Amino acid sequence: MWKPQRSIVVRALALSTALSLAPALTAAPTTDPGPGGKDLKVIQLPLRSDAPKTIDPGRGSTTYDNRACSMVYDTLLQYSYLQRDPFVLEPALLTKMPICAEDGVTWTFQLKKGIVFQDNDCFPGGKGRELVAEDVFYSWKRQADDATKAKSWWLYKDTIVGFDAYRDAQNAAAKAGGKFDYDVPVEGMKVIDDHNFQIVLTEPVYRFIWVLAMFQTSVVPREAVEHYGNRFSRNPVGTGPYMLDEWTDLGMSFVRNPTYREEFFPTNLQEGDDAIVAESSKGQRLPIIDRVEYTFYKKDQPMWLRFEEGTLGYTQVPAENYETAFNRRTKKLNSAYKRRGIVAADVPLLDFIFRQFNMQDELVGGYTPEKVALRRAIILATDFDEFNSSFYNDKVIVYDGMIPPGLDGHPNNEEHRAGPEYRGKNIALAKEYLAKAGYPNGEGLPKIDYYVANSANSPEQADLTARQLGEIGIELNVRMMDFSSLIEACDNKKAQFFSFAWSSDYPDAENNLALFYGPNQSPGSNHANYENEEFDRLYEQTRSMEPSAKRTEIYIRMRDMVLDHAAFAGSMARTRSYLIQPWLRNFKPTEQFYNWVKYLDVEESLRE
Amino acid sequence: MWNYIVRRLLYNIPVYLGIILILMALLRFGAADPAYTFLGKNADPGDLEKIRHQLGLDKPFFVQYVQFLWEVLTLNFEQESWGRPGRTVGEMLSTAYIPTLLITVPGLMITATISICVGLISAFNRGRLADRTLMVLAVVGMSVSFLVYIIVGQYYGAFQLKEWVGTEIFAIEGFDLEENGFIAGWLTYCALPVIISVIVAMGYDTRFYRAVMVEESSKDYMVTAKAKGAGRRKVMFVHMLKNAMIPIITRVMTTLPFLIVGSVLLEYYFNIPGMGNRLLGAIFDKDFPVIQAFTAIFAVVFILSNILTDVLYALVDPRVRLQ
Amino acid sequence: MTPKFLRSRGAKKFFKSRLATFSLFVIGIYTAIGIAVLFFDAITVDDTLQRVGPDSTPMIGEQKIEKRLRDADFHLARLESALNKKEEDVENAIANLALAERGISDKPREELKSEVARGWELYDELATQKDDAEFDAFDGKKKELKEQGIDDNEQVQKLAGNAADEAVEALVTSEDFVGSLEELEGIVAALYRPLTGWDATMYNLRRSIGTDRQGRSISIRALFSIKIALQIGVVSALISVIFGSLLGAAAAFYGGLIDHLVVWLYSTFSSIPSLIFLIVISYRFTGTQWESSLLPVYVAFCLTFWIGPCRIVRGEVLKIKELEYVQAATAVGFGKFYILLKHVVPNTMHLMFINFSLLFIGAIKSEVILSFLGLGVKNQPSWGIMIRDSGPEVVNGFFPQLGAATVFMFILVISFNVLSDALQDAFDPKHVS
């Protein structure tokens, strides 16, 4: 017979026993005694906002995918870690930088000898084999295959001779019932021998060199793709410094790759690096840290708290915590953090945050003086400085043009100005232009549709824009939507005036200027639908030029052309603030590339 | 009896079909094209059509509907998640249900135990100070938003507690059962969310159980028991509780679905990789396969609990069986 | 019908309870505020967006030195940036600096500039003094400990920290420092026009609970949110109750196919987890023109809440159907619809009231959750949005916004709880009190 008393008592006892086991639970240990008793170096790092969706470079596209892939895979070229302003490339899998022939389109590459893929079951005997030239081509060819569902074809489009034709032919064959043949050679991809190969470009396109450092071009082994199939997205097999250990919904962990090639800590320390680089790291073989544990933080506050309690090695400073960490006036770190020895670092981003006009729109588009005047009025009424102080703690760089700070073509004066009338705030002048456009004080001007993508404080930002334009009599109809709807509206040329942000895929202004290149019109990336023959001609000309004073001059001309047409209201580039624990050494934060984990070191004596 | 159960099951089939229909319709009609979300910033326009075809979005709605129903029927969970390539829906389900259970089941058990006891005490001391205080506390607890409990709980229960005591007792967020063993892990990561869910649910449940007890206490058999000289405690626990068990069990069954829902918020805030958190993430990612599969599972759980409730009612009240 | 209802036995019992009457009174006050805001624009949306002071300032209590310096910095920086604008824009800029009723002083431009300069001098001096005191002591102590050979990092940090704290404490309590700080705050106060009478009261009211992270008045936002809460609560609850009850009554009364259809409908709807349903519906509205209005919230709530009243009323009507007077009415020959309206529905009125108050509470609490996920109210403040915004603030130790939203909501919800309890007590014969 059921006796309630006993059952309740039993339950209570069980609970109290369980509760009494609570004390002295420590957080994850920071050192693991490894084989032979040597303490392993372990660090915890955050992945902010989102998690990687795939660790397959052929299917990756976002910065999060980049971070994961960069741990496990190598690209032909990599960024020289300590160099900034400008960024410089150096060989990673290659012995030296690729050599370009006289014709400007034939590039010859030489791979290092003895680079092996990590040990994995997909190889016979479980041992990884040496990386050869064929692997490079295979990795790129699979991105041409529709079955891979790659998002990165745009990197190879119209770049290598015969590659586009190869893609169309093979996909057609696969669709017709055959299969996509990876062994069919591509005209512009020539294997000379196991360690030497050549690539022939369709035209001398300079940006190709940057593409070779992008994670999507990492080298993957065919055996792994065939062995794992779709699951290759979760089971990486690379030549990189780390191997994937675990991947859960909450985080990923990586361990040192014992067969990683010989690579040593860079010797080219720049000015100021002595404070960052630990003495013991100089000349050390990479990677230095044995185990890296990433946690995904969809929300900022837990990440911030974890940094505060000393678990995370570094953190980006969320806007809400900016004033906790920094003094608004001096921009210096607050005393509580200084005492703990925490270091602050500012990372300027290659951002182009702007408001775009649809140049083909009836109301706001067009190249006649009246239309230019209308747009210029809006531009002069927009006050990016107010946005800077209201939403970005004055940490944003407001500049003229579409070329972010740090790149050739950016206006290199203190105010980042290209001319006196390229940005606001100048109400009097704005009103003048508005009158010139035929709408004195806004009379007769219909409401302008302003499309904005939903994000953290986008409603408030949109409100501010509406208020600023309201000052000269222009009325905005703010339409909030999620990002994909905005892209859809742009692709259909429906968005009249919209807020947009572009992060440079590589540190060259060509990436931003491409946004105004005629043939890239919607549904391409030229959402402005800007059409200017001379601009297009100059663009095609500079595509094949190496960085030089001449090229920069042309960039400036192109930039000013677009500015004179008042095609957009811009621009802002954010600066991200990082806080770094005193025990995390060799960290020089950047968001341009993500393979820097191998350089990091931990000074255990400083860790609590 | 079996007749009744079968009838209930059959009756719920059109309900299930309806749920799937509504859900799929809501996801597909009018909202932004998920193909854009899938491809992102550098999308090539030619690729859009390709992706739509590969994701099966270009087929007519009815075809998609039937296809999904067939997959559910054959328990086929092999579709690849759009948001997490390389993982199938089935795989995500199999890893996600455990954390959810680890929060909901203990929460359910603890809430039930405490609420029943409190309800008993309250009913027994009806009208007196103990009862009034407990009921006031219950109403007060019910009038504060779940979120406030979560925010304050996380800050004081996890972060501040650690500052005061020196070591971490409750984690601010996260989930790891392997590091320090199962029980220690549960206490670190799940105990605080469970405590919060108990506090939130207690207000409602205590009042309900109290009402049930009070109603029972006015019944004849209680008077008889007291007249026969049975001790207070015996009367309370043996007689009252036993007869109140049916509505109690029924109540527990009906609150089970709400616990799953409530766990969505706890999982989201405490970063516990359960079904609710995964589903929320899928909705924000527009990951159709995951949304459909998870909701299909949730719906099954709901319907089964509804049927179970109906069956329990039928056990009590034979008239219901004849309907 | 209504006066008769008020004279009924149940109503008398209801009003006998002082608590119930009081809760009705509280609800009345909230409704009055809500109507004032909704129809008479007592508080506009602009009011809620207007900055009234520095960020995250609590209402009362001694503020820490850092906060006081930061606030002084806030005022000085604003004025400085306005004064530095181009001539034709300065006028405008200064006008925009007004903190609600507190406008910038009428002193001539030049004088303001020199005042600001003097203010910065004082600020920089105080900040440097504090910094120097702190880090001289900190670094000094560290050196001392190192010389003594004490190596343990944790201990060093603690001891050095204590030394620094002591030094700072000594500094900020010193006469000179206090004097300079007060002088600074005096300069800042003088930058604004003095407030008198009505203006002063209104301004103090705005600052009464403090400011949020954008310097907006928490009290104003909390009061405005009453309107939103009432709007959402009343519309959702009313429509759900009316629609659900009628459907339930009709289903029970007419039986047959209608009954099966209705039961199928609510079984289906109730089997989708309500939170998920709410989220998916709200999400569907993103990108449409109604997104910034309350329509998505209304639709989401009505579609989820109609089930409760429907079920309950249907159950009740099933019982009423069997009662003698209904059977008598049918026998006499009154039309079904007439009976439904005249006999059945009035006897379920009490259930409708009870359900209304329960759904009202449910709507308010669900709105908090929806707004938290970003799917609820947009472009207007609401308690849910305030609670969401307070998340990061709480981490920094700032509770006024969370407190205000919680308390305002709490009072309304608990009043409705008491109300529904009293209603049940009064009108439901089977209810146990």
Side-chain angles (χ1 to χ4, degrees):
Chain A
M1 191 192 132
W2 180 74
K3 291 202 194 306
Q5 276 154 306
R6 198 145 46 126
S7 149
I8 291 177
V9 167
V10 166
R11 266 185 277 186
L13 263 178
L15 189 64
S16 53
T17 325
L19 281 174
S20 62
L21 289 175
L25 296 171
T26 53
T30 51
T31 55
D32 263 320
K38 171 178 161 276
D39 274 348
L40 288 183
K41 289 189 176 178
V42 183
I43 54 171
Q44 282 91 16
L45 299 179
L47 269 181
R48 183 183 176 203
S49 303
D50 207 348
K53 299 210 187 320
T54 174
I55 202 171
D56 175 358
R59 296 186 78 178
S61 61
T62 64
T63 36
Y64 315 100
D65 301 332
N66 189 350
R67 295 195 66 168
C69 292
S70 302
M71 299 288 283
V72 189
Y73 291 101
D74 277 315
T75 44
L76 292 176
L77 302 175
Q78 68 183 10
Y79 286 82
S80 167
Y81 179 48
L82 296 171
Q83 280 184 281
R84 303 273 185 282
D85 226 354
F87 287 100
V88 170
L89 292 176
E90 64 182 19
L93 290 174
L94 303 173
T95 53
K96 52 187 191 289
M97 294 296 281
I99 301 175
C100 188
E102 290 270 315
D103 59 4
V105 292
T106 311
W107 293 80
T108 313
F109 300 78
Q110 185 181 65
L111 288 170
K112 286 184 179 148
K113 291 202 166 68
I115 300 182
V116 289
F117 287 106
Q118 68 186 71
D119 292 336
N120 189 280
D121 288 336
C122 66
F123 296 113
K127 278 219 74 55
R129 62 160 172 84
E130 194 188 10
L131 181 153
V132 295
E134 267 300 336
D135 292 316
V136 179
F137 292 148
Y138 170 78
S139 309
W140 300 355
K141 279 182 184 171
R142 59 183 287 261
Q143 289 171 49
D145 187 350
D146 283 343
T148 311
K149 291 205 203 83
K151 300 180 188 181
S152 42
W153 176 250
W154 62 280
L155 288 171
Y156 310 99
K157 190 172 173 185
D158 291 337
T159 312
I160 302 180
V161 172
F163 201 13
D164 299 78
Y166 168 83
R167 177 179 189 238
D168 293 332
Q170 291 305 316
N171 279 322
K175 208 166 170 192
K179 68 178 187 88
F180 194 106
D181 194 342
Y182 289 102
D183 296 312
V184 168
V186 175
E187 203 187 316
M189 296 182 179
K190 300 181 183 149
V191 177
I192 301 175
D193 62 40
D194 271 351
H195 298 97
N196 291 286
F197 58 96
Q198 253 184 11
I199 294 184
V200 183
L201 301 177
T202 51
E203 20 170 24
V205 177
Y206 182 71
R207 81 152 193 209
F208 182 64
I209 207 89
W210 295 111
V211 170
L212 295 177
M214 294 178 73
F215 82 98
Q216 292 97 326
T217 60
S218 303
V219 186
V220 308
R222 188 167 180 166
E223 293 91 326
V225 178
E226 288 171 358
H227 178 85
Y228 290 107
N230 253 347
R231 302 185 47 72
F232 185 57
S233 272
R234 310 279 299 188
N235 290 289
V237 180
T239 58
Y242 291 97
M243 306 188 296
L244 179 65
D245 180 28
E246 245 195 344
W247 187 357
T248 67
D249 278 327
L250 293 179
M252 315 171 80
S253 51
F254 296 88
V255 288
R256 166 199 296 281
N257 177 3
T259 57
Y260 184 61
R261 66 174 188 274
E262 244 185 23
E263 188 182 9
F264 296 93
F265 197 88
T267 47
N268 57 345
L269 268 67
Q270 311 285 306
E271 198 184 308
D273 284 346
D274 275 311
I276 302 174
V277 175
E279 262 314 305
S280 56
S281 303
K282 293 184 183 168
Q284 254 208 301
R285 184 164 170 192
L286 305 178
I288 303 179
I289 304 233
D290 300 293
R291 188 182 162 85
V292 183
E293 294 170 356
Y294 285 102
T295 312
F296 307 141
Y297 289 101
K298 285 240 164 71
K299 283 185 274 49
D300 287 337
Q301 291 315 305
M303 174 179 79
W304 179 256
L305 289 174
R306 283 290 191 201
F307 176 80
E308 287 268 32
E309 72 176 18
T311 314
L312 292 177
Y314 73 85
T315 181
Q316 292 179 354
V317 182
E320 298 101 44
N321 303 94
Y322 184 78
E323 293 222 352
T324 333
F326 295 98
N327 179 304
R328 195 209 65 87
R329 176 157 166 78
T330 61
K331 305 267 179 277
K332 290 206 291 208
L333 203 54
N334 278 334
S335 61
Y337 297 91
K338 258 184 14 202
R339 286 196 204 177
R340 282 153 65 183
I342 290 176
V343 175
D346 275 342
V347 178
L349 302 180
L350 293 179
D351 274 344
F352 172 34
I353 301 176
F354 61 111
R355 286 72 179 286
Q356 184 63 63
F357 296 101
N358 178 359
M359 296 299 276
Q360 284 183 4
D361 182 79
E362 244 181 51
L363 178 62
V364 302
Y367 303 84
T368 61
E370 288 82 28
K371 293 300 185 184
V372 172
L374 172 60
R375 292 194 296 269
R376 181 136 342 267
I378 294 179
I379 290 173
L380 288 170
T382 309
D383 185 3
F384 280 107
D385 292 314
E386 196 179 347
F387 276 86
N388 199 355
S389 64
S390 298
F391 298 107
Y392 297 100
N393 298 112
D394 283 318
K395 299 280 300 205
V396 137
I397 298 179
V398 181
Y399 63 96
D400 286 345
M402 75 290 278
I403 302 175
L407 301 185
D408 291 333
H410 177 84
N412 268 331
N413 48 63
E414 208 183 298
E415 291 217 329
H416 305 273
R417 276 191 190 275
E421 293 184 359
Y422 289 141
R423 70 173 192 263
K425 177 175 164 166
N426 193 334
I427 298 290
L429 205 52
K431 286 188 175 161
E432 250 183 67
Y433 274 106
L434 193 56
K436 267 194 227 163
Y439 306 103
N441 283 317
E443 276 164 39
L445 181 65
K447 270 194 181 183
I448 300 180
D449 281 332
Y450 181 45
Y451 288 62
V452 181
N454 262 326
S455 73
N457 47 22
S458 46
E460 289 147 322
Q461 293 208 24
D463 268 341
L464 184 56
T465 313
R467 244 184 296 151
Q468 287 179 345
L469 293 184
E471 260 187 85
I472 56 172
I474 298 184
E475 265 187 79
L476 282 187
N477 176 16
V478 175
R479 306 191 52 178
M480 307 277 316
M481 57 189 67
D482 63 82
F483 186 67
S484 25
S485 309
L486 178 62
I487 298 285
E488 205 177 333
C490 292
D491 281 356
N492 296 329
K493 301 193 181 179
K494 275 204 307 204
Q496 200 174 36
F497 179 41
F498 54 97
S499 164
F500 209 70
W502 182 268
S503 281
S504 300
D505 297 300
Y506 42 83
D508 192 319
E510 180 268 337
N511 191 247
N512 297 64
L513 292 167
L515 296 174
F516 296 94
Y517 180 52
N520 280 341
Q521 264 186 54
S522 300
S525 60
N526 178 1
H527 295 302
N529 302 315
Y530 182 73
E531 287 168 276
N532 183 333
E533 267 181 37
E534 207 196 324
F535 182 94
D536 292 347
R537 197 179 45 83
L538 290 174
Y539 177 78
E540 283 153 15
Q541 186 188 350
T542 54
R543 263 214 317 217
S544 40
M545 290 171 72
E546 268 189 33
S548 63
K550 177 127 195 295
R551 190 186 78 157
T552 310
E553 203 194 299
I554 304 183
Y555 276 173
I556 293 179
R557 253 173 57 204
M558 292 167 71
R559 173 198 80 200
D560 289 344
M561 246 187 262
V562 182
L563 283 173
D564 284 329
H565 275 140
F568 64 91
S571 323
M572 295 196 287
R574 293 166 298 168
T575 310
R576 198 98 72 181
S577 300
Y578 282 75
L579 289 186
I580 308 169
Q581 302 281 11
W583 46 259
L584 185 67
R585 306 309 307 273
N586 311 341
F587 184 38
K588 197 168 178 181
T590 172
E591 298 194 11
Q592 214 34 49
F593 56 93
Y594 289 106
N595 70 340
W596 37 256
V597 184
K598 58 189 177 186
Y599 304 107
L600 301 179
D601 191 5
V602 175
E603 203 164 308
E604 293 295 349
S605 63
L606 288 180
R607 240 208 291 223
E608 286 157 31
Chain B
M1 193 63 224
W2 285 113
N3 199 330
Y4 181 70
I5 297 181
V6 168
R7 261 189 294 140
R8 297 267 75 216
L9 276 167
L10 284 175
Y11 190 82
N12 276 297
I13 290 180
V15 173
Y16 196 66
L17 293 176
I19 297 171
I20 307 290
L21 184 69
I22 293 177
L23 183 72
M24 292 184 75
L26 270 178
L27 286 176
R28 277 167 183 69
F29 290 125
D33 199 331
Y36 277 97
T37 323
F38 192 77
L39 281 175
K41 167 176 148 202
N42 287 307
D44 191 88
D47 289 344
L48 236 39
E49 277 313 311
K50 233 183 248 187
I51 290 291
R52 242 183 243 122
H53 177 78
Q54 281 168 341
L55 299 178
L57 288 171
D58 55 349
K59 298 199 202 100
F61 177 72
F62 190 67
V63 173
Q64 293 188 46
Y65 177 59
V66 172
Q67 193 169 25
F68 182 65
L69 277 178
W70 181 246
E71 282 165 8
V72 173
L73 209 60
T74 52
L75 291 178
N76 170 351
F77 290 115
E78 294 303 306
Q79 310 93 341
E80 199 190 16
S81 155
W82 297 352
R84 304 258 179 278
R87 301 194 76 187
T88 63
V89 164
E91 200 188 311
M92 293 172 84
L93 264 171
S94 62
T95 46
Y97 79 92
I98 297 173
T100 304
L101 283 181
L102 284 176
I103 307 183
T104 47
V105 172
L108 191 64
M109 279 173 19
I110 299 177
T111 314
T113 318
I114 300 185
S115 313
I116 293 174
C117 290
V118 174
L120 258 177
I121 297 173
S122 225
F124 228 69
N125 295 304
R126 181 179 177 186
R128 284 190 252 155
L129 186 63
D131 175 33
R132 310 261 280 272
T133 331
L134 285 169
M135 282 307 102
V136 165
L137 280 175
V139 174
V140 165
M142 271 165 60
S143 306
V144 178
S145 170
F146 197 160
L147 279 177
V148 175
Y149 286 118
I150 293 183
I151 293 178
V152 172
Q154 194 184 51
Y155 183 66
Y156 281 112
F159 184 64
Q160 279 290 26
L161 197 61
K162 180 173 182 191
E163 302 278 305
W164 290 333
V165 176
T167 51
E168 177 180 81
I169 299 190
F170 295 129
I172 294 164
E173 47 81 49
F175 189 78
D176 184 354
L177 293 181
E178 267 144 59
E179 192 91 42
N180 292 318
F182 184 81
I183 295 192
W186 187 90
L187 283 165
T188 318
Y189 295 105
C190 300
L192 188 56
V194 167
I195 291 176
I196 293 179
S197 80
V198 166
I199 295 179
V200 168
M202 255 186 20
Y204 295 94
D205 283 355
T206 322
R207 280 158 54 98
F208 177 79
Y209 293 132
R210 177 186 174 280
V212 166
M213 306 293 177
V214 169
E215 195 168 334
E216 286 298 311
S217 70
S218 58
K219 293 241 175 89
D220 291 332
Y221 71 87
M222 288 296 293
V223 180
T224 319
K226 277 192 238 172
K228 276 169 68 185
R232 239 177 140 216
R233 206 168 287 147
K234 186 168 183 213
V235 164
M236 209 159 85
F237 281 103
V238 175
H239 291 281
M240 209 197 252
L241 202 53
K242 192 172 116 183
N243 280 287
M245 270 323 275
I246 305 287
I248 289 177
I249 291 182
T250 320
R251 166 86 184 186
V252 168
M253 291 271 82
T254 36
T255 50
L256 179 64
F258 292 103
L259 266 168
I260 294 184
V261 162
S263 84
V264 169
L265 284 172
L266 287 169
E267 288 174 19
Y268 181 67
Y269 221 88
F270 284 93
N271 215 6
I272 294 175
M275 290 184 68
N277 200 351
R278 169 85 12 252
L279 183 52
L280 217 53
I283 293 179
F284 289 135
D285 278 341
K286 296 225 194 63
D287 190 344
F288 284 11
V290 173
I291 300 176
Q292 284 166 190
F294 274 57
T295 318
I297 298 286
F298 273 131
V300 166
V301 172
F302 264 67
I303 289 182
L304 283 179
S305 79
N306 279 340
I307 294 181
L308 203 56
T309 320
D310 289 337
V311 167
L312 282 168
Y313 269 137
L315 273 170
V316 181
D317 192 347
R319 288 180 298 175
V320 174
R321 267 180 256 171
L322 297 175
Q323 271 187 345
Chain C
M1 206 171 14
T2 327
K4 188 161 155 230
F5 176 77
L6 282 173
R7 269 185 271 134
S8 73
R9 209 171 4 143
K12 284 213 202 80
K13 191 174 171 200
F14 175 86
F15 285 111
K16 245 202 229 150
S17 156
R18 271 180 303 164
L19 196 59
T21 323
F22 183 67
S23 69
L24 204 57
F25 175 66
V26 170
I27 294 175
I29 295 185
Y30 269 76
T31 318
I33 299 180
I35 292 181
V37 174
L38 180 62
F39 292 114
F40 299 107
D41 276 339
I43 303 177
T44 62
V45 178
D46 278 338
D47 273 327
T48 64
L49 295 176
Q50 201 181 38
R51 183 180 268 282
V52 295
D55 308 342
S56 297
T57 339
M59 45 171 158
I60 45 169
E62 182 77 26
Q63 294 203 55
K64 293 205 294 209
I65 299 295
E66 286 99 354
K67 191 71 177 53
R68 287 167 74 178
L69 283 175
R70 261 222 330 257
D71 285 351
D73 162 65
F74 163 80
H75 293 286
L76 289 173
R78 297 174 87 226
L79 193 53
E80 184 181 33
S81 91
L83 288 171
N84 284 343
K85 286 209 191 301
K86 280 194 276 291
E87 189 52 49
E88 54 282 6
D89 290 326
V90 179
E91 194 71 51
N92 222 353
I94 290 190
N96 280 339
L97 285 184
L99 297 171
E101 290 85 6
R102 203 175 173 202
I104 301 286
S105 151
D106 294 323
K107 292 191 209 140
R109 223 50 68 61
E110 285 314 309
E111 196 180 328
L112 284 175
K113 274 200 178 147
S114 70
E115 288 286 286
V116 170
R118 173 87 186 110
W120 280 132
E121 248 181 64
L122 281 168
Y123 176 90
D124 288 332
E125 203 183 292
L126 290 170
T128 333
Q129 276 182 11
K130 178 179 170 293
D131 248 357
D132 285 343
E134 184 172 4
F135 281 98
D136 280 345
F138 189 79
D139 294 330
K141 188 74 180 171
K142 262 180 109 166
K143 210 156 145 213
E144 202 186 297
L145 291 170
K146 193 163 171 202
E147 277 160 19
Q148 288 176 7
I150 300 179
D151 237 353
D152 177 28
N153 193 35
E154 205 176 321
Q155 210 184 6
V156 169
Q157 284 286 112
K158 191 153 160 239
L159 291 172
N162 289 341
D165 286 336
E166 276 168 27
V168 170
E169 186 62 30
L171 175 69
V172 302
T173 42
S174 74
E175 255 184 64
D176 284 338
F177 193 91
V178 171
S180 300
L181 185 57
E182 284 178 356
E183 194 187 335
L184 174 62
E185 288 177 332
I187 292 181
V188 167
L191 291 175
Y192 294 92
R193 258 182 272 136
L195 283 175
T196 52
W198 183 245
D199 280 345
T201 331
M202 276 310 289
Y203 185 70
N204 285 328
L205 207 69
R206 285 183 210 270
R207 295 286 296 262
S208 54
I209 305 185
T211 60
D212 67 3
R213 269 186 309 116
Q214 293 193 31
R216 303 176 296 198
S217 162
I218 294 178
S219 52
I220 297 287
R221 287 172 72 85
L223 285 170
F224 186 88
S225 308
I226 293 179
K227 155 191 170 274
I228 301 279
L230 287 176
Q231 265 182 298
I232 295 179
V234 168
V235 171
S236 316
L238 202 62
I239 296 182
S240 308
V241 167
I242 293 179
F243 181 65
S245 308
L246 281 176
L247 210 59
F253 200 63
Y254 287 106
L257 190 62
I258 300 184
D259 191 32
H260 281 295
L261 195 66
V262 170
V263 174
W264 174 81
L265 254 178
Y266 76 56
S267 306
T268 311
F269 273 65
S270 69
S271 301
I272 306 180
S274 55
L275 188 61
I276 308 299
F277 200 44
L278 281 174
I279 294 174
V280 174
I281 295 179
S282 306
Y283 214 59
R284 277 291 290 98
F285 275 92
T286 55
T288 64
Q289 61 186 103
W290 299 293
E291 195 194 353
S292 2
S293 70
L294 288 174
L295 188 66
V297 179
Y298 292 148
V299 170
F301 285 165
C302 291
L303 282 178
T304 12
F305 289 158
W306 68 272
I307 300 166
C310 185
R311 262 206 166 117
I312 293 176
V313 169
R314 176 177 171 274
E316 187 74 8
V317 171
L318 277 177
K319 280 184 244 164
I320 294 181
K321 211 165 79 161
E322 307 300 323
L323 290 175
E324 284 154 353
Y325 70 90
V326 171
Q327 298 191 331
T330 330
V332 169
F334 284 121
K336 268 204 160 167
F337 190 67
Y338 178 78
I339 300 179
L340 187 69
L341 225 49
K342 205 86 198 321
H343 292 286
V344 176
V345 168
N347 283 297
T348 56
M349 281 286 266
H350 66 284
L351 283 176
M352 287 168 70
F353 276 113
I354 294 169
N355 272 303
F356 176 84
S357 52
L358 286 173
L359 286 183
F360 186 93
I361 299 171
I364 296 183
K365 294 177 87 176
S366 303
E367 179 269 323
V368 171
I369 295 178
L370 265 191
S371 295
F372 182 79
L373 294 170
L375 296 167
V377 180
K378 307 227 159 78
N379 298 340
Q380 298 179 78
S382 77
W383 291 324
I385 291 188
M386 288 176 77
I387 292 182
R388 181 190 65 182
D389 286 346
S390 70
E393 288 174 2
V394 165
V395 168
N396 291 331
F398 185 74
F399 287 92
Q401 188 166 198
L402 185 65
T406 310
V407 169
F408 272 80
M409 191 177 102
F410 175 78
I411 294 179
L412 186 61
V413 170
I414 209 175
S415 302
F416 262 95
N417 268 321
V418 169
L419 184 74
S420 76
D421 270 355
L423 280 173
Q424 277 185 303
D425 228 5
F427 290 103
D428 190 349
K430 282 179 42 196
H431 180 74
V432 166
S433 75

